[in-house]
Amino acid sequence: MTVSNHCSLGFSGEYSDFQEIQSTLEELMIAEYCMADKIPMQPRAIHQYLARVMYEKRNKQDPLYNQIVIGGVSPATGEGYLGLVDLLGTNYESEMIATGYGTYIALPLLRKAYRPDITVAEGRKVIEDCLRVLFYRDARSIDTVQIASVTKDGAETTEPFKLESTWEFKKFKAGSRLVDESTW
């Protein structure tokens, strides 16, 4: 979800809960626009706002079952921002973030590929590789994804596309009994 020209959200978890977050953010952005002060809301402020919303919902025993990734660039300084908020309101900032199963599988791959001067194209290739690995490892996932990127020039989200994947490995087709003749 693109929140502003310089901020996007990604999420994992319940889609209906994310729709509630989406409408809450849309109301916030309308209120900010109506102030007419020409100062855009920074990604860090959106992150902190969402942390308070998630914490409040948790305290009312009605949590929103999501992990939300906030990515953006400060229009004033050009500094990048990446943060995460979970259903408890726990939040943190980091140079790389993954949610759900990706925390276990993709995060090590992201750490290995990370460099401070990575380009958007290189970063997209790394993300696609991580998503492909996750697709192969999770039987409940699909290979259709969207990727968002935020630069000082603005936020951009791709149309949904299918990851390139192959199932030509012999063990994928025949199972583990390819050379084993036993029945056990």
Side-chain angles (χ1 to χ4, degrees), residues 106 109-110 113-115 118-134 145 147-149 158 161 163-164:
L109 300 173
L110 290 171
Y114 177 75
R115 315 186 310 272
I118 195 166
T119 66
V120 173
E122 292 170 330
R124 180 183 167 126
K125 183 181 179 328
V126 170
I127 295 295
E128 284 182 23
D129 290 342
C130 290
L131 290 169
R132 188 174 300 106
V133 168
L134 289 166
V145 298
I147 297 177
S149 62
T158 66
F161 67 94
L163 294 169
E164 289 181 28

Side-chain angles (χ1 to χ4, degrees), residues 65-160:
Y65 288 90
N66 293 108
Q67 287 185 324
I68 306 165
V69 177
I70 300 95
V73 174
S74 170
T77 64
E79 181 183 330
Y81 184 83
L82 190 60
L84 180 127
V85 179
D86 69 7
L87 76 152
L88 302 175
T90 307
N91 66 92
Y92 63 91
E93 302 170 27
S94 181
E95 292 178 333
M96 61 213 72
I97 290 177
T99 66
Y101 194 49
T103 306
Y104 306 106
I105 303 294
L107 202 52
L109 300 173
L110 290 171
R111 287 183 179 136
K112 184 177 179 184
Y114 177 75
R115 315 186 310 272
D117 63 338
I118 195 166
T119 66
V120 173
E122 292 170 330
R124 180 183 167 126
K125 183 181 179 328
V126 170
I127 295 295
E128 284 182 23
D129 290 342
C130 290
L131 290 169
R132 188 174 300 106
V133 168
L134 289 166
F135 170 63
Y136 286 142
R137 304 267 186 306
D138 186 356
R140 297 174 295 165
S141 65
I142 59 172
D143 61 349
T144 303
V145 298
Q146 284 182 282
I147 297 177
S149 62
V150 184
T151 64
K152 62 183 177 200
D153 299 325
E156 181 181 307
T157 304
T158 66
E159 290 297 317

Side-chain angles (χ1 to χ4, degrees), residues 3-106:
V3 179
S4 69
N5 291 338
H6 292 66
C7 185
S8 283
L9 296 184
F11 81 100
S12 64
E14 285 291 323
Y15 190 74
S16 59
D17 286 349
F18 184 71
Q19 287 174 318
E20 184 175 337
I21 292 165
Q22 203 171 10
S23 88
T24 301
L25 275 177
E26 285 170 359
E27 289 173 14
L28 175 70
M29 298 314 282
I30 288 169
E32 284 291 314
Y33 179 78
C34 290
M35 291 178 79
D37 60 3
K38 304 236 188 297
I39 300 171
M41 197 163 188
Q42 302 290 316
R44 177 173 275 116
I46 294 169
H47 179 217
Q48 293 303 313
Y49 175 79
L50 287 173
R52 300 310 181 271
V53 167
M54 299 296 269
Y55 184 73
E56 176 194 17
K57 294 292 280 182
R58 178 194 92 172
N59 284 340
K60 292 185 175 187
Q61 303 299 313
D62 185 25
L64 298 171
Y65 288 90
N66 293 108
Q67 287 185 324
I68 306 165
V69 177
I70 300 95
V73 174
S74 170
T77 64
E79 181 183 330
Y81 184 83
L82 190 60
L84 180 127
V85 179
D86 69 7
L87 76 152
L88 302 175
T90 307
N91 66 92
Y92 63 91
E93 302 170 27
S94 181
E95 292 178 333
M96 61 213 72
I97 290 177
T99 66
Y101 194 49
T103 306
Y104 306 106
I105 303 294

